[in-house]
Amino acid sequence: MRILAVDQARNGGWAIYDYEKQKLVDYGSFSFPNGKYTFSEAVCEIEKYISQLITKRKISVVFLEDINLRANVSVFKNLAQLQGVLINLCEKKHYLYQLISPSVWQNYCNARGRTSKEIKAKITATISNDNKAKKQSKILSLQYVKNKYDIDTDNDNISDAICIGDYAVHNINIQHKE
């Protein structure tokens, strides 16, 4: 059975895994930038893109990254709308799906920033001086994908999707319905 893990946003990433073999099969990204697409147009294109991936790649289950509120309410609202459209796609087409919280897959992949307790204990995490703009969790997901899969990418959307899928194949029990 094939699963699809998605880090969804205007600029997003995806990863396909063989669930039984717990093996990464393929990965990629998509981009519908501000300059070319309104938000509504981008959402429609993302829905179409994900739907085609599911159909063409014979996906059995979709794992979407759940959203959480950080500093920007506007971004949260947009991500909530996109998530709703993708959930609706899965519901309409009767695709199995599940949301995975960022903190859950980040903890599993050691791709999260350090806690104050870890800092006090002098537990270090890799920080890239080349890209100070990236959040520490993004840098760590890039490093996880490099270390585990020997994939050298600077696209954190791809690395996040790979991490979401990696978490899913190793931790979520998918029940086959007859």
Side-chain angles (χ1 to χ4, degrees):
M1 150 182 6
R2 286 184 169 208
I3 68 158
L4 173 67
V6 182
D7 178 23
Q8 71 272 10
R10 277 183 175 269
N11 302 302
W14 56 270
I16 297 172
Y17 281 80
D18 179 313
Y19 179 77
E20 286 84 4
K21 294 179 182 174
Q22 298 179 324
K23 181 178 164 113
L24 178 63
V25 174
D26 200 3
Y27 59 89
S29 64
F30 53 87
S31 181
F32 300 97
N34 281 334
K36 291 178 109 176
Y37 300 88
T38 66
F39 177 71
S40 297
E41 291 169 338
V43 168
C44 289
E45 292 300 317
I46 294 165
E47 178 186 25
K48 192 180 336 175
Y49 185 87
I50 297 299
S51 182
Q52 289 171 352
L53 259 179
I54 293 168
T55 303
K56 288 180 180 175
R57 301 300 190 93
K58 298 179 174 43
I59 301 299
S60 299
V61 184
V62 179
F63 292 96
L64 302 169
E65 182 179 45
D66 203 356
I67 59 171
N68 58 7
L69 179 60
R70 295 197 181 165
N72 192 325
V73 174
S74 179
V75 170
F76 178 76
K77 181 180 167 184
N78 287 347
L79 289 173
Q81 290 172 1
L82 174 57
Q83 182 180 63
V85 166
L86 295 178
I87 288 171
N88 189 48
L89 166 70
C90 292
E91 288 288 339
K92 282 190 308 191
K93 303 268 186 156
H94 305 287
Y95 299 141
L96 291 176
Y97 70 93
Q98 184 171 333
L99 301 176
I100 297 181
S101 170
S103 62
V104 170
W105 70 258
Q106 288 170 357
N107 283 334
Y108 176 77
C109 298
N110 294 318
R112 60 175 174 73
R114 297 182 298 156
T115 65
S116 59
K117 190 175 184 179
E118 291 167 332
I119 292 168
K120 286 178 188 172
K122 299 189 192 257
I123 297 170
T124 59
T126 302
I127 297 173
S128 170
N129 292 330
D130 301 325
N131 198 347
K132 292 180 181 175
K134 286 198 185 292
K135 293 181 189 171
Q136 192 173 30
S137 63
K138 299 297 184 186
I139 294 165
L140 293 172
S141 78
L142 293 166
Q143 180 183 348
Y144 181 84
V145 167
K146 172 68 176 155
N147 292 344
K148 183 158 186 182
Y149 294 101
D150 198 27
I151 296 172
D152 199 5
T153 180
D154 62 355
N155 186 327
D156 58 78
N157 300 311
I158 291 173
S159 65
D160 287 1
I162 291 171
C163 289
I164 292 164
D166 194 58
Y167 169 80
V169 298
H170 290 97
N171 293 283
I172 297 177
N173 185 14
I174 300 172
Q175 300 295 322
H176 297 278
K177 290 188 178 181
E178 299 301 321

